[in-house]
Amino acid sequence: MERRRMTKGTVRLTDRYADRRNAIYEPLRSEGVFTWDCLYGQEYALAGLYRMSRDKHQEMRSAAEALGRIYAKTVSVVQQGEPALWAELGLPEASFGAIALRFDETIPTLIGRFDFADTPGGLKMLEFNSDTPTGIVEAFHVNGAVCEAYGAEDPNRGCSAMLGAAFTRMRELYRQAGCRTERIVFSALDWHEEDAGTTRYLLAQSGLVGAGFAPLSALRVLGERLWSPADESDAAELTPVDLLYRLHAIEKLAQDRDDDGYPTGEHVLKLIADRELAVINPPSGFAAQTKALQALIWNLHETGRFYTPGEHEVIERYMLPTYLEPRFPEGMAYVRKPILGREGSGVTIYDGSGTAPEENGEDEYLHQPMIYQQYAELPPIEVETLTGPYRGRLLWGCFLIDGKGSAVVARVGGRITDNLSFYLPSAFSG
């Protein structure tokens, strides 16, 4: 995917912020790949550049790989479990048949993202987005353009090649398992600029010959197949889908119904369970998405079971005590999170006295079971914005692509990172 070239090093930190921002993001908007540098009428993508050390970058990628292996080991056992376990983990009943399908037990998902807090005690993993992670275009595409504009070194250089290799290997795994893989469709909500743009970017990077995009609204369940238009024209005929990449959360899919009330989402999940439809991310990504899995991993760690001594060291170093009920000593701050919540929705921080000084305020996921996690404070940071200096908190994400640590992405927001938090490009410090 070619980018409108910007002369290397033409943007300087001494330039006016608004001018720098326009010089960086106008070419990106024009090429049509990253068009959501502003979201909900507000600035989203910043024109600053966070300088990170090579040691911290390498540790983050190594931590993601090590945690990925722990998740893969745990998810493999969960997938062999009983419906009672899956229900306790908060997974939708409609997904149970699909969850049991295992294709590669060495990875927890194909495209995932671990979120980290860089604390005085080291990196601490807050959660794993293994089903439908976003921030992909920012990390794999935009970050390089911003670094190029400043003449800086991109920590994510070369990572986009990992995407194509991952999609190719997953397709071959499905083919070897006896699944049809000829007709490939990438799908998302077409009206959602970020989701549709992310999905089209992955389609372009996938290298899968003959693959195309179809909005979720154009997909149809007919008989024992999923169907989509053969192309994006209004008059296109429906053809069956063999392999589907969908940027649509599993818990939302399980609830989807058509205009007549028919449970289309449940039907799609049954097609997956019956191997009539292969999906990316694979079913293991469904199981890894629930934050209740963090509580399970921590429980097994506390009891000294299941994991090797080296795996216990990784859990102790990078994970936080997490439970299905608040079990923290008096005076210790903790966070309550919905087990399938996203973008900080429904998250509440409790201080050591048990009061809640900060909560997200959104109620989309408040009906879900909760996990309780020891609070890890995000480091403070001040950044430039179009409205002036902003003092916020820095959150790191590190993508796990086919089991390998990959691109990193930084967000700046409040103590709870939500969908209005800024994207902050990053470069090596030297």
Side-chain angles (χ1 to χ4, degrees):
M1 185 174 297
E2 292 296 323
R3 186 167 63 231
R4 268 185 59 184
R5 288 292 170 189
M6 184 185 305
T7 304
K8 186 174 181 178
T10 55
V11 175
R12 297 171 297 181
L13 286 171
T14 54
D15 295 339
R16 197 168 68 96
Y17 180 82
D19 294 337
R20 282 188 280 136
R21 192 178 189 283
N22 188 61
I24 290 169
Y25 291 110
E26 192 281 327
L28 286 164
R29 285 192 298 270
S30 296
E31 72 173 0
V33 178
F34 182 67
T35 59
W36 55 96
D37 57 286
C38 291
L39 282 172
Y40 312 107
Q42 302 179 40
E43 182 180 15
Y44 163 62
L46 297 175
L49 199 60
Y50 183 89
R51 299 284 182 164
M52 70 181 310
S53 72
R54 295 176 188 273
D55 288 345
K56 184 65 67 177
H57 173 257
Q58 183 56 50
E59 183 186 8
M60 204 179 305
R61 291 182 65 167
S62 297
E65 284 193 22
L67 289 167
R69 290 190 292 269
I70 289 167
Y71 264 80
K73 182 175 181 176
T74 312
V75 166
S76 177
V77 173
V78 166
Q79 288 183 284
Q80 300 173 63
E82 299 293 330
L85 171 62
W86 301 334
E88 187 175 356
L89 292 174
L91 297 166
E93 184 176 351
S95 69
F96 286 179
I99 285 170
L101 296 180
R102 292 177 291 148
F103 295 96
D104 184 351
E105 297 179 28
T106 67
I107 60 171
T109 191
L110 193 70
I111 300 174
R113 191 193 72 235
F114 283 104
D115 286 344
F116 291 99
D118 189 6
T119 75
L123 291 173
K124 296 297 179 183
M125 189 267 289
L126 304 181
E127 59 190 58
F128 183 34
N129 300 279
S130 61
D131 186 30
T132 54
T134 54
I136 293 170
V137 180
E138 293 89 322
F140 289 86
H141 185 71
V142 177
N143 205 77
V146 180
C147 286
E148 183 178 2
Y150 282 112
E153 187 177 353
D154 178 18
N156 299 335
R157 182 180 179 184
C159 287
S160 60
M162 300 174 72
L163 296 170
F167 276 105
T168 298
R169 194 179 81 85
M170 195 73 231
R171 181 187 189 182
E172 180 61 17
L173 278 175
Y174 275 127
R175 189 193 66 78
Q176 292 177 1
C179 300
R180 292 182 296 262
T181 61
E182 287 71 33
R183 176 90 199 292
I184 305 169
V185 170
F186 284 64
S187 189
L189 295 168
D190 56 341
W191 55 263
H192 194 288
E193 189 174 16
E194 180 184 3
D195 285 4
T198 298
T199 301
R200 289 183 183 276
Y201 173 76
L202 286 174
L203 167 61
Q205 294 297 312
S206 73
L208 298 177
V209 177
F213 176 85
L216 287 170
S217 59
L219 302 181
R220 296 289 182 268
V221 179
L222 300 170
E224 295 308 308
R225 299 296 300 274
L226 180 71
W227 300 70
S228 79
D231 54 52
E232 294 191 55
S233 67
D234 293 336
E237 294 184 358
L238 292 178
T239 57
V241 178
D242 298 321
L243 176 57
L244 175 71
Y245 170 83
R246 39 100 218 161
L247 190 56
H248 189 52
I250 182 64
E251 69 275 10
K252 295 185 183 297
L253 176 62
Q255 298 171 358
D256 282 349
R257 293 178 177 271
D258 65 17
D259 294 338
D260 298 325
Y262 182 77
T264 52
E266 290 185 20
H267 198 153
V268 170
L269 287 164
K270 185 177 184 303
L271 296 181
I272 297 169
D274 293 341
R275 297 180 180 241
E276 298 292 346
L277 177 67
V279 288
I280 297 176
N281 276 313
S284 58
F286 304 172
Q289 178 68 33
T290 170
K291 296 179 183 66
L293 201 68
Q294 292 176 256
L296 174 60
I297 292 172
W298 190 260
N299 176 265
L300 292 170
H301 169 62
E302 280 193 322
T303 56
R305 295 182 292 167
F306 187 60
Y307 303 108
T308 67
E311 290 166 343
H312 280 293
E313 289 180 12
V314 170
I315 295 168
E316 184 69 29
R317 181 173 182 177
Y318 293 116
M319 293 189 68
L320 292 162
T322 306
Y323 307 99
L324 295 178
E325 64 280 323
R327 293 175 47 190
F328 301 98
E330 186 176 350
M332 179 176 287
Y334 64 91
V335 182
R336 187 187 71 177
K337 301 178 180 179
I339 58 174
L340 290 172
R342 298 163 191 267
E343 295 285 1
S345 180
V347 172
T348 303
I349 299 173
Y350 292 88
D351 63 21
S353 67
T355 59
E358 188 158 347
E359 57 186 345
N360 175 270
E362 298 181 12
D363 59 5
E364 181 180 2
Y365 300 107
L366 289 181
H367 65 284
Q368 295 180 0
M370 300 285 172
I371 59 107
Y372 300 83
Q373 183 180 76
Q374 181 179 317
Y375 176 59
E377 188 166 25
L378 299 173
I381 185 173
E382 183 173 298
V383 293
E384 288 183 275
T385 76
L386 288 172
T387 58
Y390 172 80
R391 294 180 180 177
R393 302 281 177 162
L394 179 65
L395 173 75
W396 283 103
C398 182
F399 284 91
L400 186 75
I401 307 298
D402 201 12
K404 301 295 184 183
S406 188
V408 298
V409 62
R411 299 282 301 276
V412 177
R415 294 174 73 192
I416 299 172
T417 307
D418 59 23
N419 60 350
L420 295 179
S421 299
F422 296 107
Y423 156 61
L424 176 62
S426 59
F428 282 132
S429 55

